[in-house]
Amino acid sequence: MPSETSTACADQSVEELRRELAEAREQQAATAEILRVISSSPTDPERVFAEIAASAARLCQAYDAVIRQVDGDALLLVAHHGPLPVAGTLPLMRGHLVSRAVLEGRTIHVADLQAETNEYPEGSDIARRLGFRTNLSVPLIRAGVAIGVINIRRTEVHPFADRQIELLKTFAHQAVIAIENTRLFETEQTRTKELQESLEYQTATSDVLEV
C-alpha cells in the first residue's frame, strides 16, 4: 500500500496541475478577449490598452500595470490599472527603468528598484517615494524599433516568475498589434479621403470643361 507521504505528494501534484490548468485557461480567455477588442475597436486603442493593463496586473499578480508610448523624447501614458500614482509623461533617459527598456529594446526585470540607486537613480527615487519595489518592463517592438513599453510593479520584493514574464511579453505583442491596427486603419481612411477629394476635383473640372 502507498505510504502517507507518497499519497500526500500525489495529491499535491494533482493540485498543482489543476492550478496550472486553471491559470492557462484564464490566460487564454484574457488574450482571446483582447484580440476580440482589437478587432472590434480599430479606432479605439485606449480601450485595448485598458484591457491589456487590467489583464496584465491580474494574471501576473502585480500591484499595477502601466502602458506608455514613445512620443519624441518622452514616454506618454496611454493606460494604467492599479492604485499606484503615475506621471503623465516620462523623459527617455537611462535612469528610468521603463525608459531603459525602450532605449535598449530589451526586457528588464529588477527585484528591488529602491535599492538600484546607482543603476537607475531617477527610477529608484520614484520607487522610494511611491513605495514600490519589484519592477518588470517589456518594450513594445515594431519592425525592430521600440515604440512603447508595458510595465508591472509590486510593492514588495517578490520577483516575477518566468511564466509571468513570458505572459507580459504576450501582452506587449498584443499592444503592438493594437497600435499597428489603428495606424493602418487611419492610413486607409486618409487614403480613401484623398481619393474621394481627387474624384470630386476631377468631376468638377470635367463639368467646367463641358460648360
Side-chain angles (χ1 to χ4, degrees):
M1 294 181 63
S3 66
E4 292 182 1
T5 302
S6 61
T7 301
C9 290
D11 291 342
Q12 184 178 5
S13 298
V14 170
E15 184 60 31
E16 289 177 356
L17 289 173
R18 286 176 178 171
R19 185 177 68 253
E20 290 175 0
L21 180 59
E23 289 178 354
R25 286 175 174 171
E26 189 176 7
Q27 292 173 10
Q28 290 176 354
T31 53
E33 175 62 18
I34 291 170
L35 291 175
R36 187 193 67 77
V37 173
I38 290 174
S39 62
S40 63
S41 307
T43 60
D44 189 12
E46 288 79 11
R47 182 185 170 196
V48 179
F49 295 147
E51 184 73 27
I52 292 174
S55 295
R58 184 179 79 256
L59 296 178
C60 293
Q61 298 175 339
Y63 199 67
D64 78 337
V66 182
I67 302 177
R68 296 182 180 275
Q69 274 189 264
V70 174
D71 183 25
D73 295 328
L75 286 172
L76 298 183
L77 177 68
V78 295
H80 176 229
H81 181 87
L84 284 173
V86 289
T89 61
L90 280 180
L92 270 174
M93 55 192 304
R94 295 178 60 82
H96 286 292
L97 184 145
V98 290
S99 296
R100 180 84 67 90
V102 171
L103 292 171
E104 297 184 359
R106 66 182 180 91
T107 296
I108 300 179
H109 186 201
V110 174
D112 187 2
L113 188 56
Q114 292 188 22
E116 298 289 339
T117 54
N118 293 326
E119 189 68 19
Y120 304 101
E122 290 81 10
S124 180
D125 178 64
I126 294 174
R128 288 192 300 274
R129 285 192 286 109
L130 299 183
F132 61 88
R133 305 186 79 100
T134 296
N135 239 262
L136 174 62
S137 290
V138 177
L140 311 182
I141 304 293
R142 184 182 69 194
V145 177
I147 60 173
V149 63
I150 181 169
N151 174 246
I152 53 178
R153 305 180 285 185
R154 284 174 172 165
T155 54
E156 72 278 9
V157 179
H158 182 192
F160 292 97
D162 290 341
R163 57 183 175 76
Q164 293 170 331
I165 296 174
E166 291 305 313
L167 180 58
L168 194 65
K169 290 180 180 179
T170 298
F171 287 133
H173 292 324
Q174 292 184 323
V176 173
I177 292 173
I179 294 171
E180 183 67 7
N181 202 34
T182 301
R183 186 187 68 82
L184 291 174
F185 184 85
E186 291 176 348
T187 299
E188 185 64 26
Q189 290 292 96
T190 301
R191 183 184 177 190
T192 300
K193 182 179 179 181
E194 290 174 350
L195 288 173
Q196 185 176 2
E197 290 175 349
S198 176
L199 179 60
E200 290 175 353
Y201 175 79
Q202 291 176 5
T203 301
T205 301
S206 177
D207 291 341
V208 170
L209 290 176
E210 286 183 8
V211 173

